[in-house]
Amino acid sequence: MTPVTKPISPFEGQKPGTSGLRKKTRVFMQPGYVEAFVQSIFNAIGGCAGKTFVIGGDGRYFNAEAIQTILRMAAASGAARAIVGQGGLLSTPAASNLIRVRGADGGLILSASHNPGGIDEDFGLKYNISNGGPAPEGVTAAIFDQTKTLREYYTLDTDDLDLSAIGETTLGGMTVEIVDPVTDYAALMQTLFDFDAIRALIADGFTLRFDAMHAVTGPYAKTIIEGMLGAPEGTVLNGVPSVDFGKGHPDPNPIWAKPLVDMVMSSDGPDFAAASDGDGDRNMILGKGVYVTPSDSLAVLAANAPLAPGYARGLAGVARSMPTSRAADRVADKLGIGAYETPTGWKFFGNLLDAGKATLCGEESAGTGSDHVREKDGLWAVLLWLNILAKRKMSVKDILLDHWQTYGRDYYSRHDYEAVDSAVAEGIMGDLKALADGPLPDGIQKIDSFSYTDPVDGSVSHNQGMRVFFDDGARAVMRLSGTGTEGATIRVYLERYEVPDGDLTNETQDALAPIAAAVDELTGLKERSGRTAPDVMT
Ligand code: VG1
Ligand code: CO
């Protein structure tokens, strides 16, 4: 079968954001759009000859079609092997794992993660490198450069492959290997956690629910939680992946997973509940009567990780994205290990993990992970929590309270203003930046724009969010989302520290109201964006 060369004109705006290229599904469905981006990836990485790629996605609308296109193009460009999740499904952490265990050269992951799916919703595509992690900025910049000058792409004129049957087949000169998406991932989890202890906890009457939100983690959670750990059938909710995620937002936060939150807040609710997002890399943790903020979850996991066999030797360091609360730093400080602050987006953790500087990483956006893969990992976080609960034999609420009594509490919340006019949002951010040079209003100690120098390769990333430090130690951060597909989303991150013997059980929004008001006064956020309140508070 001979490869065919087809002419193509560049598409505007194929610039990868925080996590790959995300656009409306109909944008991706334009003739040649996927081809242009995929060829740009292949060109940017120096071609495909002899390479092995892992390919899979979260199962959203257009997932299967995009995979067929990628397979034809990879084969036409001389790739040796494509490892594809059965039915085109692979969670993001499972794809990361497969790249690593199979020694693949890279991976193409089809997902818009927590964004809704469907023909009128969102689609996404990102490239991961051979360490299993998202392409770093140098690579995404090279891909974007290619998209601007692309003139042709290579493909085969063939029928679609059947992705439903496990086994090997060929496409041109490329071997296509369809694998069970769960097997290798489940085996990895078994090496990290004390499955016997968790199984005993559940057998002892501990109750839990896992909401897969109609997204990719359903099959993973069923195999691991209901199968290997023996939780009763029905423990996994919304466990069958659907192309439009049941018309919901597959975003595991108290807004979009409200039914689960309501369940654990009721008197006859389960002891533990969790949810994950479209592509399975995010997690939300709940205990009876309590929501654990992602920032607190990272800190609690860091303090307790050695209770799990995979981390028994202790942690090398902990890394968090800049907007994530400083709770994890307090744990690192006490343990005498490194604490790292990176820009938003998992790609910035890759070097720290590869260099063995950080063992655990986390983001306030419900992302936690470790050096077991190079992506955040929703189910991994759930299993680590279960392992800790099985060992400590305390409720989630008591573990959290005990943590605050030891380290103090970082009251934390993120307020999102969605689909704001882009020019207005840019104006708000620009004006805040101009304020940084002072004179500063009363009560504010410093305003700066966060820049990051990677401690491993020295690369520098500027403009990663505005930070406002208040005299009393509180902090607010503002940045624009890099994953949205409509207008601009302004994210405002608020935090305030309370000492261990202080008032640890305030209502979060009450505790942060003065900081939210100060941000509004400083930026004119509400008036300028035309909102009276945030669209989402997590
Ligand atoms: C958001 C989160 C960020 C996360 C990214 C990808 O980015 O804030 O922490 O890494 O989504 O997560 P932004 O630029 O919209 O703030 V996922 O699970 O959507 O791939
Ligand atoms: Co995700």
Side-chain angles (χ1 to χ4, degrees), residues 225-376:
I225 299 177
E226 292 184 3
M228 300 161 93
L229 296 172
E233 210 175 301
T235 298
V236 177
L237 308 170
N238 305 314
V240 178
S242 75
V243 290
D244 64 356
F245 308 121
K247 303 216 180 317
H249 262 253
D251 193 352
N253 66 33
I255 313 294
W256 298 115
K258 190 166 184 299
L260 189 74
V261 177
D262 290 346
M263 189 190 287
V264 285
M265 295 303 166
S266 73
S267 56
D268 56 353
D271 297 311
F272 178 86
S276 74
D277 71 332
D279 61 331
D281 58 358
R282 295 187 178 203
N283 71 91
M284 175 173 67
I285 302 294
L286 301 151
K288 195 188 273 297
V290 62
Y291 161 67
V292 185
T293 69
S295 295
D296 276 343
S297 178
L298 174 65
V300 170
L301 294 183
N304 294 280
L307 294 173
Y311 306 93
R313 281 174 302 145
L315 309 178
V318 183
R320 63 166 172 85
S321 68
M322 180 274 282
T324 304
S325 98
R326 289 163 289 186
D329 301 16
R330 303 181 201 288
V331 176
D333 195 42
K334 196 161 202 152
L335 293 172
I337 58 173
Y340 300 89
E341 184 179 43
T342 61
T344 295
W346 210 261
K347 57 176 172 263
F348 293 102
F349 293 131
N351 277 347
L352 294 170
L353 293 165
D354 283 352
K357 287 180 179 294
T359 310
L360 294 200
C361 303
E363 295 194 279
E364 54 65 41
S365 54
T368 352
S370 88
D371 58 1
H372 68 292
V373 289
R374 292 294 180 273
E375 288 278 6
K376 52 190 191 270

Side-chain angles (χ1 to χ4, degrees), residues 18-19 22 111-115 126 277 279 281-282 321 344-346 363-365 376 414 479-484 491 493:
T18 312
S19 181
R22 286 196 196 166
S111 171
S113 191
H114 57 288
N115 299 18
K126 74 171 177 172
D277 71 332
D279 61 331
D281 58 358
R282 295 187 178 203
S321 68
T344 295
W346 210 261
E363 295 194 279
E364 54 65 41
S365 54
K376 52 190 191 270
R414 189 182 86 203
R479 57 180 284 282
L480 300 183
S481 158
T483 58
R491 302 203 195 280
Y493 310 80

Side-chain angles (χ1 to χ4, degrees), residues 9 16 18 41 44 49 64 70 85 88 104 120 143 178 197 214 222-223 240 256 315 318 323 382 386 427 441 498:
S9 322
T18 312
I41 294 172
I70 294 168
D120 290 315
I143 295 171
I178 313 279
H214 306 278
K222 278 194 185 152
T223 299
V240 178
W256 298 115
L315 309 178
V318 183
V382 172
L386 289 174
E498 187 71 47

Side-chain angles (χ1 to χ4, degrees), residues 94-222:
S96 181
N97 180 50
L98 266 183
I99 294 171
R100 294 167 67 77
V101 296
R102 299 297 304 275
D105 296 281
L108 292 105
I109 302 179
L110 301 104
S111 171
S113 191
H114 57 288
N115 299 18
I119 191 165
D120 290 315
E121 299 294 352
D122 295 348
F123 193 77
L125 174 50
K126 74 171 177 172
Y127 182 69
N128 280 28
I129 59 174
S130 62
N131 74 350
E137 281 198 319
V139 177
T140 57
I143 295 171
F144 182 46
D145 277 350
Q146 288 290 333
T147 67
K148 294 185 228 168
T149 53
L150 196 73
R151 289 284 170 259
E152 57 189 32
Y153 71 94
Y154 315 105
T155 189
L156 300 178
D157 282 324
T158 53
D159 291 337
D160 283 356
L161 281 184
D162 175 11
L163 303 179
S164 68
I166 287 176
E168 283 192 4
T169 149
T170 55
L171 182 63
M174 181 175 83
T175 303
V176 178
E177 181 184 345
I178 313 279
V179 299
D180 180 278
V182 179
T183 310
D184 289 277
Y185 178 84
L188 173 65
M189 293 301 115
Q190 239 176 335
T191 66
L192 298 174
F193 303 116
D194 188 341
F195 272 33
D196 289 341
I198 303 173
R199 207 179 294 119
L201 176 79
I202 294 171
D204 220 26
F206 178 90
T207 53
L208 72 159
R209 291 284 182 281
F210 179 89
D211 188 346
M213 303 189 83
H214 306 278
V216 78
T217 35
Y220 295 84
K222 278 194 185 152

